Amino acid sequence: MAVTLPAVVEELLSEMAAAVKETARIPDEHLSSLKFIFGSSAIQALDLVDRQSITLISSPSGRHIYQVLGSSGKTYTCLASCHYCSCPAFAFSVLRKSESLLCKHLLAVYLSQVMRTCQQLSVSDKQLTDMLLIEKKQEA
């Protein structure tokens, strides 16, 4: 079962990707829509993208995660395939209270995909596993 974002968000990201492909920029009306849907998280996410804070980490087996260097200097792990972020805001505002669709880190991941600005890093399968295990230990 695939996990999907609400249709309006999927459509907006798709339109943004098409605009970036065609004109190399995101039109103002799409930015306004982004702000309307995500509020202040949209601006914070765009700031993370502008600072090139998103890294796509891939392993030979095809597994991949995103790491986002947050504005606090802490690195968070995001799994775009299931819309997950390891930050406290995701756990509280998205999962527990259902106040937001995404945290700023996960939104930054999707925006960096649209804008094609992800930094890329290839690691071994063991290194990727170790990264996830270290993250889990730090959460405990």
Coordinates of all heavy atoms in Angstrom, one line a residue, residues 39-104:
G39 N 1.5 27.2 5.6 CA 1.8 28.3 6.5 C 3.2 28.7 6.6 O 4.0 28.6 5.5
S40 N 3.7 29.0 7.7 CA 5.1 29.4 7.9 C 6.1 28.3 7.6 O 7.3 28.6 7.3 CB 5.3 30.0 9.3 OG 5.1 29.0 10.3
S41 N 5.7 27.1 7.7 CA 6.6 26.0 7.4 C 7.1 26.0 5.9 O 8.2 25.6 5.6 CB 5.9 24.6 7.6 OG 5.6 24.4 8.9
A42 N 6.2 26.6 5.0 CA 6.6 26.7 3.6 C 7.9 27.6 3.5 O 8.8 27.3 2.8 CB 5.5 27.3 2.8
I43 N 7.9 28.7 4.2 CA 9.0 29.7 4.1 C 10.3 29.0 4.7 O 11.4 29.1 4.2 CB 8.6 31.0 4.7 CG1 7.6 31.7 3.8 CG2 9.9 31.9 4.9 CD1 6.6 32.5 4.4
Q44 N 10.1 28.4 5.9 CA 11.2 27.7 6.5 C 11.7 26.6 5.7 O 13.0 26.4 5.6 CB 10.7 27.2 7.9 CG 10.3 28.3 8.9 CD 9.6 27.8 10.1 OE1 9.1 26.7 10.1 NE2 9.6 28.6 11.1
A45 N 10.9 25.9 5.0 CA 11.3 24.8 4.1 C 12.1 25.3 2.9 O 13.1 24.8 2.5 CB 10.1 23.9 3.6
L46 N 11.6 26.4 2.3 CA 12.3 27.0 1.2 C 13.6 27.6 1.6 O 14.6 27.5 0.9 CB 11.4 28.2 0.6 CG 10.2 27.7 -0.2 CD1 9.3 28.9 -0.4 CD2 10.7 27.1 -1.5
D47 N 13.7 28.1 2.9 CA 15.0 28.5 3.4 C 16.0 27.3 3.5 O 17.2 27.5 3.1 CB 14.8 29.2 4.7 CG 16.1 29.7 5.3 OD1 16.8 30.5 4.6 OD2 16.5 29.3 6.4
L48 N 15.5 26.2 3.9 CA 16.4 25.0 4.0 C 16.9 24.6 2.6 O 18.0 24.2 2.4 CB 15.6 23.8 4.7 CG 15.4 24.0 6.2 CD1 14.4 22.9 6.7 CD2 16.7 24.0 7.0
V49 N 16.0 24.7 1.6 CA 16.3 24.3 0.2 C 17.4 25.3 -0.3 O 18.4 25.0 -0.9 CB 15.1 24.3 -0.7 CG1 15.5 24.1 -2.1 CG2 14.1 23.2 -0.3
D50 N 17.1 26.6 0.0 CA 18.1 27.7 -0.5 C 19.5 27.5 0.2 O 20.5 27.7 -0.5 CB 17.6 29.1 -0.1 CG 16.5 29.5 -1.0 OD1 16.3 29.0 -2.1 OD2 15.8 30.5 -0.6
R51 N 19.5 27.0 1.4 CA 20.8 26.7 2.1 C 21.4 25.4 1.7 O 22.4 25.0 2.2 CB 20.6 26.9 3.6 CG 20.3 28.3 4.0 CD 20.3 28.4 5.5 NE 19.3 27.5 6.1 CZ 19.4 27.1 7.4 NH1 20.2 27.6 8.2 NH2 18.5 26.2 7.8
Q52 N 20.8 24.7 0.8 CA 21.2 23.3 0.3 C 21.4 22.4 1.5 O 22.5 21.8 1.6 CB 22.5 23.5 -0.5 CG 22.2 24.2 -1.8 CD 23.4 24.3 -2.7 OE1 24.5 24.2 -2.3 NE2 23.1 24.5 -4.0
S53 N 20.4 22.4 2.4 CA 20.5 21.6 3.6 C 20.0 20.1 3.5 O 20.0 19.4 4.4 CB 19.7 22.2 4.7 OG 20.2 23.5 5.0
I54 N 19.6 19.7 2.2 CA 19.0 18.4 2.0 C 20.0 17.5 1.3 O 20.5 17.9 0.2 CB 17.7 18.5 1.2 CG1 16.7 19.4 2.0 CG2 17.1 17.1 1.0 CD1 16.7 20.8 1.6
T55 N 20.3 16.3 1.8 CA 21.2 15.4 1.2 C 20.4 14.1 1.0 O 19.8 13.5 1.9 CB 22.4 15.1 2.0 OG1 23.1 16.4 2.3 CG2 23.4 14.2 1.4
L56 N 20.5 13.6 -0.3 CA 19.9 12.3 -0.6 C 21.0 11.3 -0.4 O 22.1 11.4 -1.1 CB 19.4 12.2 -2.0 CG 19.0 10.9 -2.6 CD1 17.9 10.2 -1.8 CD2 18.6 11.0 -4.1
I57 N 20.8 10.3 0.5 CA 21.9 9.3 0.7 C 21.4 8.0 0.1 O 20.3 7.5 0.5 CB 22.2 9.2 2.2 CG1 22.6 10.5 2.8 CG2 23.2 8.1 2.5 CD1 22.8 10.6 4.3
S58 N 22.1 7.4 -0.8 CA 21.7 6.2 -1.5 C 22.7 5.1 -1.2 O 23.9 5.3 -1.1 CB 21.6 6.4 -3.0 OG 20.7 7.5 -3.3
S59 N 22.2 3.8 -1.3 CA 23.1 2.7 -1.1 C 22.9 1.8 -2.4 O 22.0 1.9 -3.1 CB 22.7 1.8 0.1 OG 21.4 1.2 -0.1
P60 N 23.9 0.9 -2.6 CA 23.8 0.0 -3.8 C 22.6 -0.8 -4.0 O 22.1 -1.1 -5.1 CB 25.1 -0.9 -3.7 CG 26.0 -0.1 -2.8 CD 25.1 0.7 -1.8
S61 N 21.9 -1.1 -2.9 CA 20.7 -2.0 -2.9 C 19.5 -1.2 -3.4 O 18.4 -1.8 -3.6 CB 20.4 -2.6 -1.5 OG 20.1 -1.6 -0.6
G62 N 19.6 0.1 -3.5 CA 18.5 1.0 -4.0 C 17.8 1.7 -2.8 O 16.9 2.4 -3.1
R63 N 18.2 1.4 -1.6 CA 17.6 2.1 -0.5 C 18.1 3.5 -0.4 O 19.2 3.8 -0.8 CB 17.9 1.4 0.8 CG 17.3 0.0 0.9 CD 17.6 -0.6 2.3 NE 17.0 -1.9 2.4 CZ 17.6 -3.0 2.1 NH1 18.8 -3.0 1.7 NH2 16.9 -4.2 2.3
H64 N 17.3 4.4 0.0 CA 17.7 5.8 0.2 C 16.9 6.5 1.3 O 15.8 6.2 1.6 CB 17.6 6.6 -1.2 CG 16.2 6.6 -1.7 ND1 15.7 5.6 -2.5 CD2 15.2 7.5 -1.6 CE1 14.5 5.9 -2.9 NE2 14.2 7.0 -2.3
I65 N 17.6 7.4 1.9 CA 17.1 8.3 2.9 C 17.5 9.7 2.6 O 18.4 10.0 1.8 CB 17.5 7.9 4.3 CG1 19.0 8.1 4.5 CG2 17.1 6.5 4.7 CD1 19.6 7.9 5.9
Y66 N 16.8 10.7 3.2 CA 17.2 12.1 3.1 C 17.7 12.5 4.5 O 17.1 12.1 5.5 CB 16.1 12.9 2.6 CG 15.7 12.7 1.2 CD1 14.8 11.7 0.9 CD2 16.2 13.5 0.2 CE1 14.4 11.5 -0.4 CE2 15.8 13.2 -1.1 CZ 14.9 12.2 -1.4 OH 14.6 12.0 -2.7
Q67 N 18.7 13.3 4.5 CA 19.1 13.9 5.8 C 19.0 15.4 5.5 O 19.4 16.0 4.5 CB 20.5 13.5 6.2 CG 20.6 12.1 6.7 CD 21.9 11.8 7.5 OE1 22.9 12.4 7.1 NE2 21.8 10.9 8.4
V68 N 18.4 16.1 6.5 CA 18.1 17.5 6.4 C 18.8 18.2 7.6 O 18.6 17.8 8.8 CB 16.6 17.8 6.5 CG1 16.4 19.3 6.4 CG2 15.9 17.1 5.3
L69 N 19.7 19.1 7.3 CA 20.4 19.9 8.4 C 19.4 21.0 8.8 O 19.1 21.9 8.0 CB 21.7 20.5 7.9 CG 22.5 21.3 8.9 CD1 22.8 20.5 10.1 CD2 23.7 21.9 8.2
G70 N 18.8 20.8 9.9 CA 17.8 21.8 10.4 C 18.4 23.1 10.8 O 19.6 23.3 10.9
S71 N 17.5 24.1 10.9 CA 18.0 25.5 11.3 C 18.7 25.5 12.6 O 19.5 26.4 12.9 CB 16.8 26.5 11.2 OG 15.7 26.0 12.0
S72 N 18.4 24.5 13.5 CA 19.0 24.5 14.8 C 20.4 23.9 14.7 O 21.2 23.9 15.7 CB 18.2 23.6 15.7 OG 18.2 22.3 15.3
G73 N 20.8 23.3 13.6 CA 22.1 22.7 13.4 C 22.0 21.2 13.6 O 23.0 20.5 13.4
K74 N 20.9 20.6 14.0 CA 20.7 19.2 14.2 C 20.3 18.6 12.8 O 19.6 19.2 12.0 CB 19.6 18.9 15.2 CG 19.4 17.5 15.6 CD 18.6 17.3 16.8 CE 18.2 16.0 17.2 NZ 18.9 14.8 16.9
T75 N 20.8 17.4 12.6 CA 20.4 16.7 11.3 C 19.3 15.7 11.6 O 19.3 14.9 12.6 CB 21.6 15.9 10.8 OG1 22.7 16.8 10.6 CG2 21.3 15.1 9.5
Y76 N 18.2 15.8 10.7 CA 17.1 14.9 10.8 C 17.0 14.0 9.6 O 17.4 14.3 8.5 CB 15.8 15.7 10.9 CG 15.8 16.6 12.1 CD1 16.0 18.0 12.0 CD2 15.5 16.1 13.4 CE1 16.0 18.8 13.1 CE2 15.5 17.0 14.5 CZ 15.8 18.3 14.3 OH 15.8 19.1 15.4
T77 N 16.5 12.8 9.9 CA 16.4 11.8 8.8 C 14.9 11.8 8.3 O 14.0 11.7 9.1 CB 16.7 10.4 9.3 OG1 18.1 10.4 9.8 CG2 16.5 9.3 8.3
C78 N 14.8 11.9 7.0 CA 13.5 11.9 6.4 C 13.3 10.7 5.4 O 14.3 10.4 4.7 CB 13.2 13.1 5.6 SG 13.1 14.6 6.7
L79 N 12.2 10.0 5.5 CA 11.9 8.9 4.6 C 10.7 9.4 3.7 O 9.5 9.4 4.2 CB 11.5 7.7 5.3 CG 12.5 7.2 6.3 CD1 12.0 6.0 7.1 CD2 13.8 6.8 5.6
A80 N 11.0 9.9 2.5 CA 10.0 10.4 1.6 C 9.0 9.4 1.2 O 7.8 9.7 1.0 CB 10.6 11.1 0.4
S81 N 9.4 8.1 1.1 CA 8.5 7.1 0.6 C 7.3 6.9 1.6 O 6.3 6.4 1.1 CB 9.3 5.8 0.4 OG 9.8 5.4 1.7
C82 N 7.5 7.2 2.8 CA 6.4 7.0 3.8 C 6.1 8.3 4.6 O 5.4 8.2 5.6 CB 6.7 5.8 4.7 SG 8.1 6.0 5.8
H83 N 6.5 9.4 4.1 CA 6.3 10.7 4.7 C 6.6 10.7 6.2 O 5.7 11.0 7.1 CB 4.8 11.1 4.5 CG 4.3 10.9 3.1 ND1 4.9 11.6 2.0 CD2 3.4 10.2 2.6 CE1 4.3 11.2 0.9 NE2 3.4 10.4 1.2
Y84 N 7.9 10.5 6.5 CA 8.3 10.4 7.9 C 9.5 11.3 8.1 O 10.4 11.4 7.2 CB 8.7 9.0 8.3 CG 9.4 8.9 9.7 CD1 8.6 9.0 10.8 CD2 10.8 8.9 9.7 CE1 9.3 9.0 12.1 CE2 11.4 8.9 11.0 CZ 10.7 8.9 12.1 OH 11.3 8.9 13.3
C85 N 9.6 12.0 9.3 CA 10.8 12.8 9.7 C 11.0 12.5 11.1 O 10.1 12.3 11.9 CB 10.5 14.3 9.5 SG 11.9 15.3 9.9
S86 N 12.3 12.4 11.5 CA 12.7 12.1 12.9 C 12.6 13.3 13.8 O 12.9 13.2 15.0 CB 14.1 11.5 12.9 OG 15.0 12.5 12.4
C87 N 12.2 14.5 13.3 CA 12.2 15.7 14.2 C 11.0 15.6 15.2 O 10.0 15.0 14.9 CB 12.1 17.0 13.3 SG 10.5 17.3 12.6
P88 N 11.1 16.4 16.3 CA 10.1 16.4 17.3 C 8.8 17.1 16.7 O 7.7 16.7 17.1 CB 10.6 17.2 18.4 CG 12.1 17.2 18.2 CD 12.4 17.0 16.8
A89 N 8.9 18.0 15.9 CA 7.7 18.7 15.3 C 6.9 17.8 14.5 O 5.7 17.8 14.5 CB 8.2 19.9 14.4
F90 N 7.5 16.8 13.8 CA 6.8 15.8 13.0 C 6.0 15.0 14.0 O 4.8 14.7 13.8 CB 7.7 15.0 12.2 CG 6.9 14.0 11.3 CD1 6.4 14.3 10.1 CD2 6.8 12.7 11.8 CE1 5.7 13.4 9.3 CE2 6.1 11.7 11.0 CZ 5.5 12.1 9.8
A91 N 6.6 14.5 15.0 CA 5.9 13.6 16.0 C 4.8 14.3 16.7 O 3.7 13.8 16.9 CB 6.9 13.1 17.0
F92 N 5.0 15.6 17.0 CA 4.0 16.3 17.8 C 2.9 16.9 16.9 O 1.7 16.6 17.0 CB 4.6 17.4 18.6 CG 3.7 18.1 19.5 CD1 3.2 17.5 20.7 CD2 3.3 19.4 19.2 CE1 2.3 18.2 21.5 CE2 2.4 20.1 20.1 CZ 1.9 19.4 21.2
S93 N 3.3 17.7 15.9 CA 2.3 18.5 15.1 C 1.7 17.7 14.0 O 0.5 17.9 13.7 CB 3.0 19.7 14.5 OG 3.4 20.6 15.5
V94 N 2.4 16.7 13.5 CA 1.9 15.9 12.3 C 1.2 14.7 12.9 O 0.0 14.4 12.6 CB 3.0 15.6 11.3 CG1 2.4 14.7 10.2 CG2 3.6 16.8 10.7
L95 N 1.9 13.9 13.7 CA 1.3 12.6 14.1 C 0.4 12.7 15.3 O -0.7 12.2 15.2 CB 2.5 11.6 14.5 CG 3.4 11.2 13.3 CD1 4.5 10.3 13.8 CD2 2.6 10.6 12.2
R96 N 0.8 13.4 16.3 CA 0.0 13.4 17.5 C -1.2 14.3 17.4 O -2.3 14.0 17.8 CB 0.9 13.8 18.7 CG 0.1 13.7 20.0 CD 1.0 13.9 21.3 NE 1.9 12.8 21.3 CZ 3.0 12.8 22.0 NH1 3.3 13.8 22.7 NH2 3.8 11.7 22.0
K97 N -1.0 15.6 17.0 CA -2.1 16.6 17.0 C -2.8 16.7 15.6 O -3.8 17.4 15.6 CB -1.6 17.9 17.5 CG -1.1 17.8 18.9 CD -0.9 19.2 19.5 CE -2.1 19.5 20.3 NZ -2.1 20.8 20.9
S98 N -2.2 16.2 14.6 CA -2.7 16.4 13.2 C -3.0 17.8 12.9 O -4.0 18.2 12.2 CB -4.0 15.6 13.1 OG -3.8 14.2 13.3
E99 N -2.1 18.7 13.3 CA -2.2 20.1 13.0 C -1.6 20.5 11.6 O -1.9 21.5 11.0 CB -1.5 21.0 14.1 CG -2.2 20.9 15.4 CD -1.5 21.7 16.5 OE1 -0.3 22.0 16.3 OE2 -2.2 22.0 17.5
S100 N -0.6 19.7 11.2 CA 0.1 19.9 9.9 C 0.1 18.7 9.1 O 0.1 17.5 9.6 CB 1.5 20.3 10.2 OG 1.6 21.4 11.1
L101 N 0.3 18.9 7.8 CA 0.4 17.7 6.9 C 1.9 17.2 6.9 O 2.1 16.0 6.8 CB 0.1 18.1 5.4 CG -1.3 18.5 5.2 CD1 -1.5 19.1 3.8 CD2 -2.2 17.3 5.3
L102 N 2.8 18.1 7.0 CA 4.2 17.8 7.0 C 5.0 18.7 7.9 O 4.6 19.9 8.1 CB 4.8 17.9 5.6 CG 4.2 17.1 4.4 CD1 4.7 17.6 3.1 CD2 4.5 15.7 4.6
C103 N 6.2 18.3 8.4 CA 7.0 19.3 9.0 C 7.9 20.0 8.0 O 7.9 19.6 6.8 CB 8.0 18.5 10.0 SG 9.1 17.4 9.2
K104 N 8.6 21.0 8.4 CA 9.4 21.8 7.4 C 10.5 21.0 6.8 O 10.8 21.2 5.6 CB 9.9 23.1 8.1 CG 11.0 22.8 9.1 CD 11.5 24.1 9.8 CE 12.5 23.8 10.9 NZ 12.9 25.1 11.6

